[in-house]
Structures are given as C-alpha cells and as structure tokens.
C-alpha cells in the first residue's frame, strides 16, 4: 500500500492499513491521506489521535509558527457514520486555541453528502471555534503552495 498523489514518493511515517497515512513535517505541517471508503467514530478518533500526537511531540517547533497547518485528503470517502462527525467536532473543540493555524480538507466528487459534511465541519470551525478551515477537491495545489516536499518529511 502506497500513498496516492500528491503524496507519491513520500516516505511513509504513519500508516494504518485500514485508515491510511499521516506525516508531520517540521516546523508545523501535518498531512493525512485516508484510504477507507466509510469512516466510523473509531476512524475519526484515530485520525485526531495522530493530530494530537503531532501537536504534543512537536509543540516546540509548532508553537512559534502560530499553530499546526493541516491538510487532510479525504477523497477516498464515500460516506461516514454520524459518530465520525461528532468525534471530529468534539476533538476540535477540546484543542487549545492557537494549536491549529489552518485546516484544509480535500473531498472528492464521489459523494456530495461527504462534501456537505466537510463544509458543515468547516462552518463550525470558522464560526464557533474561530479557526480557519477550507474544503477543496484536490490537495495537490495546497501542498504545492505550502512549498512542502517529501525530502523534508520527518
């Protein structure tokens, strides 16, 4: 199992064969790429555990940059359980203000309901938590704009 574009060639740092991949890249970047088609509350918990682990382990490099910049590639999803969205909003709510600088969620055109769910979470993050979150269809341009390269993956 290997990552798909735009993460082709990136050394695998975190892998769960059912959930997917994740990378922390110093000083403050977190990327994930899911491989499953339907997300459960347990899947959302694991993804947020990975984010929280990066925040804890790399806090010394993240804090001075103004927070973690996360890009989640969810294009494989065609559906999710309601518990997955509940876990996501609760875990976002629990994070210390300023821990996350921005989040980009990439969703594919496979299922418009997944896109609507991502947009609902983004609206919650923006209006309630005052955090910047955007929804895109392709994470590639975001990764390119951030200037992150696989060689820097740690």
């Amino acid at each position: 199992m290997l990552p798909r574009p735009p993460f082709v060639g990136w050394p695998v740092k975190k892998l769960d064969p059912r959930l997917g991949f994740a990378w922390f890249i110093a000083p403050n970047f977190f990327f994930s790429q899911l491989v499953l088609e339907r997300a459960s509350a347990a899947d959302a918990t694991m993804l947020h555990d990975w984010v929280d682990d990066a925040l804890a382990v790399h806090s010394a490099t993240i804090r001075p940059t103004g927070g973690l910049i996360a890009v989640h590639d969810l294009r494989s999803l065609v559906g999710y359980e309601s518990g997955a969205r509940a876990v996501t909003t609760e875990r976002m709510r629990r994070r210390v203000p300023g821990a996350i600088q921005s989040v980009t969620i990439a969703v594919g055109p496979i299922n418009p309901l997944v896109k609507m769910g991502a947009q609902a979470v983004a609206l919650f993050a923006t209006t309630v938590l005052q955090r910047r979150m955007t929804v895109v269809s392709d994470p590639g341009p975001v990764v390119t704009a951030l200037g992150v390269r696989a060689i820097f993956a740690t």
Side-chain angles (χ1 to χ4, degrees):
M1 181 156 106
L2 296 171
R4 299 177 316 275
F7 306 108
V8 171
W10 285 33
V12 174
K13 296 299 175 180
K14 276 198 183 282
L15 168 66
D16 179 85
R18 206 179 77 64
L19 184 64
F21 304 92
W23 301 265
F24 174 80
I25 301 173
N28 65 327
F29 301 103
F30 181 87
F31 299 93
S32 68
Q33 184 175 66
L34 300 190
V35 298
L36 65 142
E37 291 186 355
R38 185 160 183 80
S40 67
D43 299 322
T45 297
M46 181 180 292
L47 179 59
H48 285 278
D49 285 349
W50 286 355
V51 171
D52 289 342
D53 181 55
L55 287 167
V57 172
H58 303 287
S59 64
T61 62
I62 294 170
R63 198 173 304 115
T65 67
L68 190 72
I69 296 172
V71 177
H72 299 293
D73 181 355
L74 310 183
R75 294 177 295 167
S76 68
L77 286 183
V78 295
Y80 59 89
E81 297 173 4
S82 61
R85 191 165 71 183
V87 165
T88 295
T89 55
E90 177 54 32
R91 293 291 290 268
M92 290 169 57
R93 188 184 305 270
R94 284 195 304 192
R95 290 200 180 102
V96 175
I100 306 289
Q101 186 178 139
S102 68
V103 177
T104 301
I105 302 170
V107 295
I110 298 170
N111 188 332
L113 292 177
V114 173
K115 184 175 182 177
M116 283 178 27
Q119 289 170 330
V121 169
L123 181 63
F124 164 78
T126 303
T127 58
V128 176
L129 301 177
Q130 304 297 305
R131 296 187 186 142
R132 190 174 52 184
M133 182 177 279
T134 56
V135 178
V136 300
S137 60
D138 181 0
V142 176
V143 173
T144 300
L146 292 172
V148 177
R149 298 176 195 198
I151 195 165
F152 298 115
T154 59

